[in-house]
Amino acid sequence: MIVLKFGGTSLESVDSIKEVKEVITSKSGGRIVVVSAIGKTTNELQHMAELARAGDTQYISVYEQLHDQHAAIISSLLDISFHEKIEAIFKQLRRVCDGVFLLKELTKRSLDFILSAGELLSSNIIASYLKKEGEQVNLLDSRAFIKTDDSFGGAVVDFHTSNGLLKQALETSSEVTVMGGFISSAPNGESTTLGRGGSDYTASIVAAALDAEILEIWTDVDGLMTADPRMVKHAQVIDEITYEEAIELSHFGAKVLYSPSLKPCFEKDIPIRIKNTFNKQTEGTLVSSGTDDDQLVKGITSLQNVSLISLSGTGLLSIPKFTKDFFATLAQHNLGVEFITQSNAEHTITIGLASEDAECAYHVLTKNFESHIADGLIDPIGIERDLSILALVGKNMKNQVGVSGNMFHVLGRNGVSIKAISQGSSERNISAIVKKADLSKSLNVLHEAFFQYEVKRVNLFIVGVGNVGKAFLEQLRTQSFILREEHRISIKLTGVANSQKMTLDEEGISLDKWKDKLDAGDDFDPKRFQHKIIELNLRNSIFIDITAAKAIADLYPDFLQKSISVVTPNKIAATESFISYQNLKQTTRRYSSQFLIETNVCAGLPVLSTLSDVVRSGDHVHQIEAVLSGTLNFLFNEYDGSRNFVDVIKQAKEEGYTEPDPRMDLSCEDVKRKLLILIRESGYSFEMNEIALEAFMPSSCQNTTSMEEFYKQVEKQEDYFKELYQKSKENGTRLKVVAIFKDGKATVKLSEIRTEHPFYHLEGKDNIVLFFTDRYKEQPLVIKGAGAGAAVTASGIFADVLRLSQPES
């Protein structure tokens, strides 16, 4: 014997009812079929009753729509225009609604009678259709077999009587029996209903009474999901789950299953399988007493509209039976509590309630304890609105260290503030209350963290798509498949901007068509772009600044405070006052964001990451010697007097080795900034004005107002540059702009490098940095390689993005 329950969504149309018939006829042996009302019939019946009570004649229109809907289904399925039993049900329904309209009174008894019509209608239609298709069908009125008390609206089942009646009628049945769910009857025979989850409850009662092999619940989804698929796109079907885990998931929002109604099956250890009427080939979810899987977290679920109410005060301990009085007050007003947490010293008790209950709870508790509040024993009751509860559920969490730590770490990294935490003694559930606005982000990052097959989505917002920006986007495009397939990372371009335009798309911008999308975007405004990014509130967000603009660098603190990490080759933020630099670092620590500036020094070379490892390991940097400008190194390596120095500068700019304004390189200001960053990252408090600069460019070249004038002045000074070169050649040296930090002093100057020095053979656009530390005294730690170029810088940005994108372990 098996029991099959079909929900309203499985019966809402002629085609769906045909699918239900296919499911029923595919089974063999005794089959008990429990059906809900068709589609949204119950909601419409409720609406009709309320209109009648309000004296609104529109109840007749609702009645007629329901009649026409069911008549159309009967006509299509049964090829008849009149069904005697169906018409009788509708006539009774109309008479009761007319009475409600005349009296303008709707009792719970009357409402139960009205609502019971939905299941009476659907069970008659399904039974008639199955008979027409050749099945041996037994139609039962559930009210004759499911007996309850007279608590209309949510009656209490008399199991002893109901079980006896069901066994007598169905224990030896070998045919198809169709029953309406949700409906029952009081001792005097009047219609009652079983409340929320009533049809599931009917099916569970029948299955338990008959010791059925299994209860199958057929609905419009593939089973219980690892998360709400409306909020988490990569949610998966849970193959197997225990009763206890199912109870936890359903309590916190999993709508497929209403676990209290399935208690009879739980007690009899009857397995329950949840399946999709419209996707029959899938196995669905099996709910049973035990599973052998080792999945740590089975699902992540949530309740959206929640408010927190807190009572606190040092005088709580002195109030007799305070806790009892507190919960008794809530019970007297039928206020259900979804979440509870209490301080060990009992100075604070916090509860989470559905928002519609919270306002009432706030007022009744305030009134109940007003004398204690007036005496100062209790602080004024606090209420916090617009919150949600999210919960991790899984029986295996009990034996695993660090689950809650990982949960809170993942949320913290994404800027999710946790208002309250609760973990039951069973350790099957870890619950947290967060802002409602953060719920979607929270569910997605937790799903990525705890379901290892999950691909982690990273959202990039980029300002600056010049040579470096274009190179970065191309690298991202070519590597995206490998990142997704081999590393489980999906990096999405979610926003992009240049100095004229900006565009954002939560679904992601095509890496093949980003330029077209940008050209058609809105006018660029830095603050507005930032506001839109923060407003999207997406998980794993990274802001990438590939400009040299102060206005963009000024946005970093606000991003970091929203736990949006920043990656940039822009040196401005890291080279302003030391206090400003410290504030950025402190902000990242406070808000669990990161400020990654690897490309600030030596483009894609791992200089800063290596330096960070050295310092964190306890080593101390005493001295730094470096050639930090790939541009200047290129210029002095290429220039040999055979062509003008200005032409070499133009070549460097065309090949992407210079800053957007080459004067920044040639003034050595860029080198000063890089040296300052190295000094600060080494652990020293240092300011830009403490670096001595010996400029090699004539003032007439540097003090120009346009690039055209700059090039003209450099051309006029050709003899000066040729003289520098000739003198170095005669001395057997090579010209390099060298940055030095030693004995607490820093200098940047053009130097003649002799053959024995490591800098002498530095070719092309290469950079080199020597770190002299406690551990590297005689032989310095050397980092050498390409230090300029769009592709090299882009690869450094890419490396920083990947550091931030690694899935949580």
Side-chain angles (χ1 to χ4, degrees), residues 296-309:
L296 184 63
V297 174
K298 276 297 179 67
I300 307 168
T301 187
S302 61
L303 293 174
Q304 290 199 44
N305 297 305
V306 174
S307 295
L308 271 187
I309 289 180

Side-chain angles (χ1 to χ4, degrees), residues 148-333:
T148 68
D149 64 6
D150 59 0
S151 302
F152 297 99
V156 177
V157 176
D158 177 351
F159 282 98
H160 177 74
T161 302
S162 300
N163 289 346
L165 292 170
L166 288 166
K167 284 183 179 180
Q168 183 180 349
L170 298 171
E171 196 165 33
T172 60
S173 174
S174 60
E175 55 189 356
V176 177
T177 298
V178 177
M179 305 172 62
F182 180 58
I183 57 177
S184 49
S185 65
N188 62 2
E190 290 188 280
S191 296
T192 57
T193 60
L194 299 178
R196 180 185 168 191
S199 291
D200 286 351
Y201 198 8
T202 302
S204 184
I205 292 167
V206 172
L210 302 176
D211 293 312
E213 300 169 28
I214 193 169
L215 165 60
E216 294 184 357
I217 296 178
W218 290 82
T219 181
D220 60 345
V221 295
D222 289 342
L224 282 172
M225 308 290 283
T226 52
D228 186 340
R230 294 168 300 181
M231 303 185 80
V232 180
K233 290 186 177 180
H234 296 288
Q236 302 290 321
V237 175
I238 301 171
D239 296 329
E240 295 185 26
I241 194 169
T242 65
Y243 293 133
E244 293 81 3
E245 290 169 325
I247 288 170
E248 297 284 0
L249 281 176
S250 64
H251 175 73
F252 283 101
K255 302 299 183 184
V256 177
L257 195 66
Y258 184 57
S259 58
S261 68
L262 299 172
K263 186 179 178 183
C265 278
F266 294 172
E267 291 177 343
K268 282 290 193 78
D269 198 14
I270 295 172
I272 300 165
R273 187 172 289 281
I274 302 166
K275 297 201 67 174
N276 190 341
T277 307
F278 311 105
N279 193 14
K280 295 186 286 292
Q281 66 272 21
T282 60
E283 290 298 314
T285 300
L286 179 67
V287 185
S288 63
S289 58
T291 60
D292 297 327
D293 68 275
D294 58 359
Q295 180 70 45
L296 184 63
V297 174
K298 276 297 179 67
I300 307 168
T301 187
S302 61
L303 293 174
Q304 290 199 44
N305 297 305
V306 174
S307 295
L308 271 187
I309 289 180
S310 298
L311 275 78
S312 60
T314 55
L316 287 181
L317 290 173
S318 65
I319 302 174
K321 300 179 181 179
F322 164 76
T323 303
K324 178 183 177 182
D325 194 16
F326 175 81
F327 287 105
T329 301
L330 297 173
Q332 287 167 10
H333 294 82

Side-chain angles (χ1 to χ4, degrees), residues 497-754:
N498 58 21
S499 58
Q500 283 83 40
K501 294 287 186 178
M502 64 182 190
T503 186
L504 298 99
D505 188 335
E506 186 173 351
E507 298 303 314
I509 298 167
S510 169
L511 291 170
D512 292 317
K513 299 178 180 178
W514 65 264
K515 192 175 186 306
D516 293 339
K517 189 78 180 285
L518 179 58
D519 290 342
D522 299 327
D523 291 341
F524 177 63
D525 176 82
K527 281 292 185 182
R528 194 153 60 92
F529 190 61
Q530 181 182 56
H531 175 74
K532 286 178 176 289
I533 293 170
I534 293 172
E535 191 177 53
L536 282 174
N537 196 27
L538 298 177
R539 66 193 186 276
N540 307 322
S541 291
I542 303 173
F543 177 71
I544 304 176
D545 172 18
I546 315 180
T547 75
K550 186 177 186 306
I552 306 302
D554 288 343
L555 302 176
Y556 300 170
D558 286 341
F559 278 126
L560 296 171
Q561 287 174 22
K562 293 297 182 181
S563 300
I564 297 172
S565 293
V566 174
V567 171
T568 183
N570 187 339
K571 305 170 191 67
I572 292 174
T575 57
E576 295 196 306
S577 70
F578 186 73
I579 292 176
S580 176
Y581 167 82
Q582 276 189 315
N583 287 340
L584 279 175
K585 294 287 187 176
Q586 290 169 359
T587 300
T588 62
R589 289 190 290 270
R590 180 176 179 183
Y591 295 98
S592 299
S593 49
Q594 294 196 53
F595 177 51
L596 298 188
I597 54 173
E598 185 70 78
T599 48
N600 272 204
V601 179
C602 302
L605 288 181
V607 173
L608 295 183
S609 56
T610 302
L611 176 57
S612 175
D613 291 341
V614 167
V615 173
R616 285 191 301 170
S617 69
D619 203 355
H620 184 71
V621 177
H622 299 291
Q623 181 178 334
I624 303 169
E625 293 184 22
V627 172
L628 295 173
S629 174
T631 304
L632 293 174
N633 196 46
F634 175 83
L635 293 178
F636 287 110
N637 281 334
E638 287 291 313
Y639 181 65
D640 59 5
S642 63
R643 57 184 178 135
N644 288 347
F645 192 65
V646 70
D647 293 328
V648 181
I649 295 173
K650 290 178 179 179
Q651 177 190 347
K653 180 172 172 56
E654 288 172 3
E655 294 185 18
Y657 301 150
T658 72
E659 293 291 321
D661 184 344
R663 288 173 292 182
M664 190 74 177
D665 298 290
L666 289 156
S667 69
C668 296
E669 285 295 322
D670 191 55
V671 177
K672 281 181 66 178
R673 288 185 184 275
K674 292 175 181 176
L675 179 58
L676 179 62
I677 292 168
L678 288 175
I679 295 169
R680 287 176 172 178
E681 293 288 304
S682 296
Y684 294 94
S685 173
F686 220 78
E687 301 289 356
M688 182 72 85
N689 59 15
E690 295 181 75
I691 300 176
L693 171 62
E694 297 180 20
F696 70 89
M697 288 290 287
S699 59
S700 63
C701 297
Q702 194 59 36
N703 298 329
T704 52
T705 57
S706 68
M707 288 302 302
E708 184 179 358
E709 183 185 355
F710 168 70
Y711 287 141
K712 287 180 180 179
Q713 290 299 326
V714 172
E715 191 169 13
K716 287 181 180 179
Q717 295 290 342
E718 177 60 26
D719 290 342
Y720 164 77
F721 295 113
K722 190 171 291 187
E723 183 180 346
L724 287 175
Y725 170 75
Q726 290 296 340
K727 180 182 176 183
S728 173
K729 184 178 180 181
E730 290 169 5
N731 292 335
T733 62
R734 300 182 74 176
L735 292 172
K736 307 288 178 186
V737 174
V738 179
I740 297 175
F741 174 71
K742 183 177 181 181
D743 299 328
K745 295 181 179 180
T747 60
V748 173
K749 63 180 181 179
L750 183 65
S751 302
E752 292 189 29
I753 304 300
R754 298 192 176 278

